[in-house]
Amino acid sequence: MSSTADNQEAALWISLSRIPGLGSQTLCQLLAAFGTPASIYAASLKRLHDIVSEKIAQHISTGPDIEACTSTLEWLQQPGNHLLTLADSSYPQALLEIPDPPALLYAKGDLSLLHMPAIAVVGSRNASPQGEKNAEEFSASLSQHGLCIISGMALGIDGAAHRGALRTGGKTIAVVGTGLDIVYPARHRDLAHQIAQHGLIISEFALGTPSKPQNFPRRNRIISGLSRGCLVVEANVQSGSLITARLAAEQGREVFAIPGSIHSPLSKGCHQLIKQGAKLVDHTKDILEELHVHSLTQFSSQAERSEESPLLEAMGYDPVSMDILVERSGLTSDRLSAMLLVLELENQVTSLPGGRFQRIA
């Protein structure tokens, strides 16, 4: 927002989006009818009433509330903060394909991530330790193969998915259900800071919007809409992640689910999805093949194999600690962690209690 004209245009978009009762679908109808926010505000009450209720039409006719937009315009002046509208050339094409694209997106971080091939990784807020581990490991591996990891920054599976991508230097997008000046849940403040620095946080909700139950099903359509597929890691039958999976299927995206124990409530949602046609996955290659990420997979796999063969030799067949592997291989612990993750997902290595690893193939 470097010019007065930019500020004025942004203020019109923001003002429209803040009108009570005016949702994104209706706003899109107004834009289709009149072209621009300025033309909407210039339209007659009668023409407006052809599309919206009398109350909303009257609200629009009073003109934009520029003063109410001041704090948001100031926020946009800060480095890394952005406002994307349907009129912007950088608006993600993937969202234009869904039935209800958000008219505005507030963003913090790297906008180029919106154009990367991506997969949604979602699941229970009250996940098991194994569920969180699966989410982190799958996300780390998928991000190493060139996929951006998209999730909702909630507790449990969402947070683990973001951490997995960040741990291996991958890319991740958090789609949140509050204004971007609010971190929810509060305990994810450090995670939100990391995502803003190394990834992207987006929301369709105006600054100052608090956490409300009705916000999260709406944000879920953005999570699925930006993605080529949706992986549900762990979920009960009432989980909101099943809403994301349903929206993904309706939007023509692939749906994947990790199975679990038939006795665990946290596996019931995934099993239900599988019965309904979701692809059962127990390895990242199942997802990569379904999404046709072959070129990325081939390049990454060749690079990994060239480094991992000596690592397997260094491990031997007895349990070994990370410190010993660092000493034997000469690699950094971060690089070793990434390589061990891939080997574990390929069932060549297993992790043992006490932070040790053992070769099994």
Side-chain angles (χ1 to χ4, degrees):
M1 297 295 152
S2 57
S3 69
T4 301
D6 287 338
N7 281 340
Q8 290 174 345
E9 182 71 10
L12 293 178
W13 281 96
I14 296 165
S15 182
L16 273 176
S17 71
R18 296 178 69 94
I19 293 175
L22 182 57
S24 61
Q25 278 187 314
T26 309
L27 178 49
C28 286
Q29 291 173 2
L30 286 170
L31 289 166
F34 300 106
T36 66
S39 298
I40 293 172
Y41 275 115
S44 67
L45 187 63
K46 180 181 182 304
R47 289 200 64 199
L48 290 170
H49 196 199
D50 290 338
I51 300 171
V52 299
S53 69
E54 183 178 356
K55 183 177 180 180
I56 293 176
Q58 289 175 341
H59 200 134
I60 294 172
S61 292
T62 62
D65 187 352
I66 302 299
E67 186 176 345
C69 304
T70 302
S71 61
T72 302
L73 295 175
E74 291 173 351
W75 179 85
L76 287 170
Q77 299 296 332
Q78 299 172 25
N81 293 347
H82 312 275
L83 177 69
L84 278 179
T85 74
L86 285 168
D88 291 326
S89 59
S90 53
Y91 189 93
Q93 179 64 35
L95 288 185
L96 293 175
E97 298 170 359
I98 69 174
D100 184 14
L104 286 80
L105 282 174
Y106 299 87
K108 180 183 286 287
D110 184 358
L111 287 179
S112 70
L113 272 57
L114 291 170
H115 306 284
M116 280 185 66
I119 182 165
V121 180
V122 298
S124 174
R125 285 176 167 81
N126 301 306
S128 69
Q130 184 61 57
E132 290 197 22
K133 181 180 179 183
N134 288 342
E136 185 166 339
E137 291 183 346
F138 267 74
S139 296
S141 180
L142 290 167
S143 67
Q144 283 188 310
H145 286 84
L147 289 172
C148 181
I149 305 300
I150 301 183
S151 200
M153 212 172 74
L155 297 175
I157 298 300
D158 287 17
H162 294 305
R163 289 193 295 271
L166 291 168
R167 176 164 61 83
T168 55
K171 301 302 182 182
T172 187
I173 297 175
V175 186
V176 300
T178 65
L180 290 192
D181 55 338
I182 297 172
V183 175
Y184 178 84
R187 71 179 76 173
H188 273 174
R189 187 168 300 278
D190 288 343
L191 178 60
H193 181 69
Q194 291 178 51
I195 297 173
Q197 278 195 319
H198 305 290
L200 180 67
I201 307 177
I202 62 173
S203 175
E204 69 175 316
F205 298 105
L207 299 187
T209 303
S211 169
K212 297 178 181 179
Q214 63 267 30
N215 291 358
F216 295 95
R218 288 196 55 74
R219 70 93 193 259
N220 289 350
R221 84 191 193 287
I222 301 177
I223 293 176
S224 58
L226 283 170
S227 308
R228 293 168 62 174
C230 176
L231 171 64
V232 182
V233 177
E234 198 173 61
N236 61 37
V237 291
Q238 285 85 35
S239 173
S241 58
L242 298 192
I243 297 175
T244 310
R246 175 179 58 79
L247 290 167
E250 291 174 354
Q251 293 165 349
R253 277 53 169 168
E254 299 292 340
V255 179
F256 308 95
I258 297 177
S261 168
I262 61 172
H263 304 292
S264 170
L266 288 172
S267 298
K268 299 291 186 184
C270 291
H271 293 168
Q272 178 177 302
L273 289 173
I274 293 167
K275 291 175 183 177
Q276 294 170 348
K279 184 176 179 65
L280 183 154
V281 298
D282 56 15
H283 194 288
T284 52
K285 69 179 181 183
D286 300 325
I287 298 170
L288 296 169
E289 289 173 357
E290 194 72 22
L291 296 181
H292 307 294
V293 192
H294 297 304
S295 58
L296 292 171
T297 305
Q298 184 179 12
F299 173 81
S300 181
S301 297
Q302 288 173 349
E304 287 160 7
R305 279 196 295 273
S306 66
E307 291 185 282
E308 286 162 9
S309 296
L311 175 58
L312 287 171
E313 293 177 10
M315 289 185 74
Y317 287 91
D318 294 323
V320 61
S321 69
M322 179 68 79
D323 289 341
I324 292 175
L325 282 175
V326 169
E327 183 180 341
R328 288 181 183 175
S329 67
L331 297 167
T332 65
S333 58
D334 285 346
R335 182 59 192 146
L336 272 175
S337 294
M339 294 165 66
L340 287 167
L341 167 65
V342 175
L343 289 169
E344 191 171 354
L345 288 170
E346 292 179 347
N347 295 319
Q348 297 188 67
V349 168
T350 185
S351 57
L352 301 172
R356 297 179 302 159
F357 300 87
Q358 186 170 15
R359 180 177 177 178
I360 58 176

